[in-house]
Amino acid sequence: MLISAKWVLPIDKEPIEDGSILIDDGKIKAIGKTEKLVKKYKKESQIDTGLSAILPGFVDCHTHLEYSVFRGVCDDLSFGEWKIQQQEKSKHLTKTDWQLSARLGAQEALRSGITTIADITDKSDILEVIKEAGLRARVFFEVYGLKDDAKKIDTASKAIDDWKKRTKGSLVKVGISPHAAYTTSPQLLKKVAALAEKKKLLSCVHVSGSMDEYNFVKYGSG
């Protein structure tokens, strides 16, 4: 199938005006001027998208799909108050609520042209939501705690092994994420880093998300 547009924007080439891409078995097999590709692949059906641009999918490097339902909730509060309210309201969501919220986030991503995400969660059900949506993803297992808790590392290690099995052969890869400096003890941060190195995992962390957080971590105030 040929998909044509006023502009085609490849990653490694100059923009192509009046361009097309050839899709065969779910893969891009050719990119070029529409006129040339139509002549070369005469038997292929064609979809003309008109005055539009075809470009690679966007990448969202930080998502929490299951929290999509919280958009606009408590946005007028300071960071600390917002965080407390968000945690309180989370207690009222059921397992099904979290799944539906994640599905909403996944569909909104796709409708926005986002095809790849880095999602942070501790809920295994979100893996299935991401896989069902067809998103390419790096899903980071979230760890937090203000104590030097060996059980949390053991839980994280087992969960990551399980997630790897469940995502094998898919577009989803697994990583690990200590939540933040204000929710994860220094000892736990070090143990998460050691686990990431041991299992060869990518990792991410929330850092300097607000002045409230900065002041709390640096001065113990706020």
Side-chain angles (χ1 to χ4, degrees), residues 89-158:
K89 294 182 186 303
S90 293
K91 296 176 183 178
H92 299 287
L93 296 187
T94 66
K95 179 179 179 180
T96 299
D97 292 332
W98 288 117
Q99 291 175 329
L100 291 173
S101 183
R103 285 194 173 92
L104 171 64
Q107 292 306 312
E108 287 183 338
L110 291 169
R111 291 192 61 166
S112 300
I114 297 167
T115 59
T116 302
I117 62 172
D119 194 73
I120 303 168
T121 183
D122 59 357
K123 299 177 178 61
S124 60
D125 295 333
I126 305 306
L127 295 173
E128 301 307 317
V129 171
I130 293 172
K131 286 166 62 178
E132 288 171 8
L135 286 163
R136 186 182 301 275
R138 179 77 62 170
V139 182
F140 295 88
F141 181 83
E142 191 168 57
V143 181
Y144 48 87
L146 295 177
K147 296 181 180 179
D148 183 10
D149 192 346
K151 290 183 179 179
K152 286 188 176 290
I153 294 299
D154 185 54
T155 298
S157 180
K158 290 178 180 177

Side-chain angles (χ1 to χ4, degrees), residues 146 181-183 210-222:
L146 295 177
Y182 63 91
T183 56
S210 69
M211 282 305 299
D212 286 348
E213 177 193 338
Y214 176 84
N215 289 329
F216 177 72
V217 173
K218 187 167 185 177
Y219 304 111
S221 63

Side-chain angles (χ1 to χ4, degrees), residues 16 53 73 92 101 128 138 160 168 196 198:
I16 302 170
V73 176
H92 299 287
S101 183
E128 301 307 317
R138 179 77 62 170
I160 287 167
K168 187 176 181 179
K198 177 182 177 181

Side-chain angles (χ1 to χ4, degrees), residues 56-69:
F58 295 124
V59 178
D60 190 335
C61 293
H62 188 139
T63 67
H64 295 275
L65 293 185
E66 74 245 36
Y67 284 98
S68 299
V69 73

